[in-house]
Amino acid sequence: MKILVIGSGGREHAIIRRLAADHPAPELHAAPGNPGIAQLATVHDASVSDLDAQVRLAQEIQPDLVVIGPEAPLVAGAADRLREAGFAVFGPSAAAAHLEGSKSWAKEIMAAAGVPTAASVTVTALAQLEAGLDRVNPLNDVPFVVKADGLAAGKGVVVTTDREAAITHAEAVLTAGGQVVLEEYLDGPEVSLFCLSDGTRVVPLAPAQDFKRALDGDEGPNTGGMGAYSPLPWAPAGLTEEVLEKVARPTIAELAARDIPFVGVLYCGLALTSRGMRVVEFNARFGDPETQVVLERLTSPFAPLLLGAARGELAADTELTWSEDAAVAVVVAGAGYPAAVRTGDPITGIDACEALGAHVIHAGTASADGALVSAGGRVLSVVATGEDLEQARDRALAATEGIALDGSHHRTDIARLAAAEARSAQGVTEPAAPGTREETA
Ligand code: AMP
Ligand code: GLY
């Protein structure tokens, strides 16, 4: 099987790494890829934003399947263009990807489908701001949640107890011509669950937890994700089935009823609150860095699964198999991330890092005169597995120390609480769930 993967980040590197592990291994192509991807696939220089170039490339390579990784080309219609050109595509149409492209439309779909989510108000003018904040946080006793309505690479959301900071963020979005979604604050740990769909049927992958804040202890601003782990030993039994029943299936059915079939991965970002599970956000693609840990544990063949979804032939009773091992990913971010990022810094130590039993996924890297340099905010993720989270985490962190990148930073508390609780539980089935957010920004 010949597969073309569109994208250049850590998610795409992880997808390609997992596809390359299938038996028989597919012939892999990527556009534009990155230096890590280039070790596993033939890379082509069609950019993520150039849909014409992607179609031309597919016509040249004639892949059996095109997998579109990032949200921007999906929202811009890359899947539509490639399908029109006759290719099997894993990735939703622009209309379906609007679920990620517009938080207010996602809220509308959730309301129509009866999916539990935070109460929200969409604000289009400064004059509506104060009343909107009062509506979602009437007692002024929990953090304000202020979201830019459109795509923002995980950085359009501010969660803060400081009303002035909430207003400042909302004003910045509104004056730039955008809309703002104000939300009720959701407490409780977060879970990411990827649900594959062929437009009607849904097959869930294993849940993971992401760490959104830049700094240890969930301090600092929101980012695209600073680390992840899977499995979640603390998660309630039946969580995946509950998400399927209350979130994924009704959403896919609502879209199908509107003649907007969702083919690809419905990323369900969830909060397990004291009042039950709620959707925090939908994305229309795999999450980064959760993909790194989820696919690391998937032992079922991957390419047939993506192809089945792309062709509308996903078997709803698909039983996926998973490694018993735990996986932890630690993101190495460049100087300044998530604010203004410095790029072009040399990266060394990958071999030393991998010699310690981890592997390195490239996200924001480039080759310059034969050397590997940073080219984005999240530069690498270091992924390790182990018998349990503690071991996987120790390995990932030890290996991360081997990476040399001037000014870089990473979190040291990825999976710490979950690992400690799993160890101390020693047979106790329901430890308290970790990851309760503290307001910080
Ligand atoms: P989003 O891009 O909508 O996923 O938001 C990014 C991050 O902001 C989430 O992963 C949460 O950590 C936080 N967040 C978003 N919405 C809420 C909410 N309603 N309550 C609490 N935290 C939230
Ligand atoms: N890690 C969060 C995301 O991919 O949106």
Side-chain angles (χ1 to χ4, degrees):
M1 194 193 315
K2 202 188 283 184
I3 304 179
L4 168 63
V5 177
I6 307 284
S8 62
R11 163 186 42 230
E12 290 77 31
H13 189 182
I15 289 169
I16 284 175
R17 176 182 152 85
R18 181 58 194 77
L19 287 170
D22 267 5
H23 298 291
E27 179 184 324
L28 294 168
H29 295 261
N34 65 35
I37 290 173
Q39 294 171 10
L40 299 169
T42 307
V43 294
H44 305 266
D45 67 359
S47 91
V48 164
S49 57
D50 189 345
L51 309 193
D52 291 336
Q54 290 161 25
V55 172
R56 274 198 307 275
L57 177 64
Q59 281 163 341
E60 189 186 311
I61 304 174
Q62 290 294 325
D64 302 292
L65 172 68
V66 184
V67 179
I68 302 173
E71 60 275 22
L74 290 167
V75 169
D80 308 76
R81 292 284 309 277
L82 286 155
R83 273 191 198 107
E84 277 156 27
F87 297 101
V89 181
F90 182 86
S93 64
H98 203 45
L99 212 50
E100 171 163 5
S102 166
K103 290 183 188 289
S104 57
W105 191 70
K107 286 289 188 191
E108 185 189 319
I109 295 295
M110 284 189 259
V115 170
T117 186
S120 70
V121 179
T122 301
V123 167
T124 53
L126 281 173
Q128 304 161 346
L129 204 50
E130 295 284 353
L133 291 172
D134 289 338
R135 248 177 77 196
V136 291
N137 192 1
L139 302 177
N140 213 346
D141 59 345
V142 287
F144 296 96
V145 180
V146 182
K147 301 185 175 187
D149 195 17
L151 291 184
K155 289 175 276 182
V157 177
V158 165
V159 181
T160 176
T161 48
D162 179 349
R163 192 175 174 113
E164 283 311 311
I167 291 171
T168 303
H169 180 57
E171 278 177 351
V173 175
L174 289 169
T175 46
Q179 307 196 115
V180 168
V181 176
L182 305 174
E183 278 187 11
E184 165 200 16
Y185 178 73
L186 300 174
D187 62 353
E190 281 184 55
V191 172
S192 304
L193 184 68
F194 303 153
C195 295
L196 309 186
S197 180
D198 64 356
T200 46
R201 288 156 290 237
V202 182
V203 173
L205 301 188
Q209 190 173 50
D210 180 21
F211 289 72
K212 289 267 170 48
R213 300 281 189 156
L215 306 174
D216 277 4
D218 289 337
E219 300 279 342
N222 267 322
T223 69
M226 293 297 292
Y229 68 92
S230 177
L232 312 180
W234 52 268
L239 175 65
T240 297
E241 192 45 51
E242 185 186 1
V243 177
L244 277 180
E245 191 188 315
K246 295 187 179 160
V247 177
R249 289 195 194 111
T251 302
I252 296 295
E254 177 63 31
L255 292 172
R258 295 178 184 223
D259 212 12
I260 308 175
F262 188 102
V263 175
V265 53
L266 176 64
Y267 167 133
C268 302
L270 309 154
L272 308 189
T273 78
S274 48
R275 290 175 299 130
M277 179 262 294
R278 300 278 187 278
V279 173
V280 175
E281 66 164 341
F282 280 140
N283 291 318
R285 38 86 193 162
F286 286 103
D288 188 343
E290 297 98 310
T291 303
Q292 283 85 317
V293 291
V294 171
L295 294 188
E296 192 64 25
R297 298 185 53 240
L298 176 71
T299 48
S300 305
F302 190 39
L305 196 60
L306 301 182
L307 185 64
R311 287 186 174 158
E313 296 166 357
L314 198 59
D317 59 355
T318 306
E319 292 276 343
L320 300 178
T321 53
W322 299 94
S323 161
E324 291 290 311
D325 282 353
V328 171
V330 174
V331 169
V332 177
Y337 181 79
V341 184
R342 190 177 77 207
T343 56
D345 287 311
I347 305 163
T348 55
I350 290 186
D351 289 346
C353 170
E354 294 195 324
L356 289 168
H359 68 267
V360 172
I361 293 287
H362 290 235
T365 69
S367 299
D369 302 326
L372 190 69
V373 297
S374 61
R378 294 186 294 168
V379 179
L380 304 167
S381 50
V382 177
V383 185
T385 56
E387 277 172 23
D388 63 5
L389 286 174
E390 188 80 43
Q391 192 178 56
R393 187 186 122 69
D394 286 349
R395 286 177 177 164
L397 282 170
T400 302
E401 297 306 326
I403 302 279
L405 168 61
D406 197 27
S408 71
H409 60 99
H410 65 271
R411 282 183 64 159
T412 63
D413 64 348
I414 305 302
R416 179 160 63 201
L417 210 54
E421 286 183 358
R423 283 238 168 143
S424 75
Q426 289 176 337
V428 179
T429 47
E430 288 211 15
T436 302
R437 286 182 301 276
E438 296 292 330
E439 180 284 323
T440 46

